[in-house]
């Protein structure tokens, strides 16, 4: 049979396969729609072409019937493999391809429900190759998942830990980058009027402090201070309550409770003159001092 007639016969069978498969897929889904199952049709097309090609490669003298048979077999296999309920997992990670957001995960890598490699510290480096699996949140890391050391003020303390990032050159600093034996005033930490309740903006600031303390793993003392308005006993109790509030909030954000203590000093350690409103505002504060 001529190549032309062979082509016509194979093409006819191929077309019928597409129509039947498309109709079957459609009717199985909705008898009132005329939309074909595109995925199934494409699979049938690919299978049919592959069947014809394999027949031609395997038998140079095959007749039209043989080629048509190759088309039918290939189309049938295509329809079967793309049928509803048939699932594939190309990278063998246990997550089927339809749900796999990382479809080319290397063999043996532990993955999450979306098929992507596990990364417990969220640094962008999978657990399987992460040499520093506990990198602090937000820290920049190298290809091995270890933190890149950045020290903008040159005091020997990495930026992500440095609580005093603008220390003058040559200043002796403690483990969190602040001048040794100096209490750090937590600027921006405020409380409700005559209360130990933190304002919302204060919590946001303390969130940042907690990250640095967790990374540095140092022992700190949180101190509460008041101005001189009111009685000594009242001020001492209020300063204790405010220091405790800050300590407990930092603990709730991940600071090791064994590494943080608090103390109220009342009005005994003023930074400024209590005779002016500005001076009293400076004296109403919470500070933090490294103990080791």
């Amino acid at each position: 049979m001529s190549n032309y007639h062979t082509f016509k016969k194979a093409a006819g069978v191929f077309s019928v396969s597409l129509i039947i498969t498309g109709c079957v897929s459609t009717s199985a889904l909705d008898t009132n729609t005329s939309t074909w199952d595109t995925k199934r049709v494409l699979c049938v097309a690919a299978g049919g072409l592959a069947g014809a090609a394999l027949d031609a490669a395997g038998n140079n003298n095959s007749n039209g019937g043989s080629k048509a048979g190759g088309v039918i077999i290939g189309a049938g296999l295509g329809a079967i493999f793309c049928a509803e309920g048939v699932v594939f997992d190309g990278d063998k990670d246990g997550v089927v391809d339809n749900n796999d957001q990382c479809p080319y995960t290397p063999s043996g890598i532990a993955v999450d429900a979306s098929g992507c490699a596990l990364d417990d510290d969220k640094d962008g480096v999978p657990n399987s190759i992460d040499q520093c699996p506990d990198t602090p949140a937000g820290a920049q890391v190298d290809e091995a998942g270890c933190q890149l050391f950045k020290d903008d003020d040159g005091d020997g303390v990495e930026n992500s830990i440095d609580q005093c990032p603008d220390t003058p050159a040559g200043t002796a600093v403690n483990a969190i980058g602040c001048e040794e034996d100096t209490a750090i005033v937590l600027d921006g930490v405020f409380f409700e009027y005559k209360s130990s309740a933190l304002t919302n903006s204060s919590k946001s600031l303390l969130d940042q402090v907690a990250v640095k303390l967790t990374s540095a793993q140092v022992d700190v003392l949180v101190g509460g201070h008041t101005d001189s308005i009111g009685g000594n006993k009242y001020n001492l109790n209020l300063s204790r309550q405010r220091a405790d509030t800050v300590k407990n909030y930092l603990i709730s954000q991940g600071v090791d409770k064994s590494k943080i203590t608090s103390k109220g000093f009342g009005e005994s350690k003023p930074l400024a003159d209590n005779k002016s409103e500005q001076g009293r505002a400076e004296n109403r504060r919470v500070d933090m001092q490294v103990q080791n």
Side-chain angles (χ1 to χ4, degrees):
M1 183 181 292
S2 68
N3 289 334
Y4 173 72
H5 287 94
T6 298
F7 171 76
K8 285 181 64 178
K9 187 170 184 179
V13 174
F14 182 55
S15 299
V16 171
S17 298
L18 289 178
I19 293 170
I20 293 174
T21 306
C23 290
V24 170
S25 300
T26 302
S27 61
L29 295 174
D30 185 354
T31 57
N32 296 320
T33 182
S34 60
T35 303
W36 282 13
D37 184 342
T38 304
K39 175 184 174 184
R40 182 80 68 84
V41 171
L42 290 176
C43 283
V44 170
L49 291 174
L54 288 172
D55 176 80
N59 187 359
N60 290 330
N61 297 317
S62 63
N63 56 25
S66 176
K67 289 184 171 60
V71 170
I72 292 174
I73 293 172
L77 290 174
I80 291 171
F81 280 111
C82 289
E84 195 72 25
V86 176
V87 296
F88 297 95
D89 179 14
D91 56 5
K92 309 298 181 186
D93 61 359
V95 179
V96 298
D97 290 347
N98 286 343
N99 301 328
D100 201 333
Q101 296 180 21
C102 302
Y104 304 109
T105 306
S107 177
I109 300 298
V111 299
D112 56 23
S114 65
C116 295
L118 294 177
D119 177 17
D120 291 339
D121 58 2
K122 309 300 182 186
D123 61 359
V125 179
N127 290 354
S128 58
I129 60 173
D130 199 335
Q131 297 180 23
C132 301
D134 300 314
T135 306
Q140 292 184 317
V141 299
D142 57 22
E143 293 180 354
C146 295
Q147 188 171 349
L148 295 172
F149 191 88
K150 286 192 174 183
D151 177 20
D152 291 339
D153 59 2
D155 61 359
V157 178
E158 208 277 334
N159 286 352
S160 66
I161 297 174
D162 202 334
Q163 191 65 41
C164 300
D166 300 312
T167 306
T171 302
V173 298
N174 55 31
I176 58 174
C178 297
E179 188 174 355
E180 289 182 347
D181 302 321
T182 300
I184 311 153
V185 177
L186 298 178
D187 290 323
V189 173
F190 300 110
F191 302 86
E192 302 295 343
Y193 182 64
K194 291 185 178 181
S195 167
S196 61
L198 289 162
T199 62
N200 288 333
S201 60
S202 299
K203 292 178 182 178
S204 298
L205 186 147
L206 289 174
D207 288 343
Q208 300 173 39
V209 174
V211 170
K212 295 186 177 184
L213 290 181
T214 301
S215 299
Q217 289 294 303
V218 292
D219 294 331
V220 294
L221 170 66
V222 175
H225 306 268
T226 67
D227 58 28
S228 61
I229 302 299
N232 289 337
K233 184 176 180 179
Y234 172 82
N235 286 336
L236 184 60
N237 286 334
L238 181 60
S239 67
R240 286 173 179 167
Q241 292 169 8
R242 288 179 169 178
D244 282 343
T245 295
V246 171
K247 178 192 74 173
N248 292 331
Y249 185 83
L250 291 172
I251 291 172
S252 74
Q253 298 306 300
V255 177
D256 187 340
K257 65 180 180 181
S258 69
K259 291 185 171 297
I260 184 169
T261 55
S262 61
K263 184 176 181 180
F265 295 95
E267 58 187 82
S268 65
K269 293 188 175 185
L271 292 179
D273 194 337
N274 276 303
K275 293 181 180 180
S276 68
E277 177 55 38
Q278 181 178 348
R280 290 192 293 273
E282 289 184 47
N283 292 334
R284 296 190 297 269
R285 68 193 188 279
V286 174
D287 57 27
M288 185 174 63
Q289 187 168 8
V290 174
Q291 300 295 288
N292 58 351

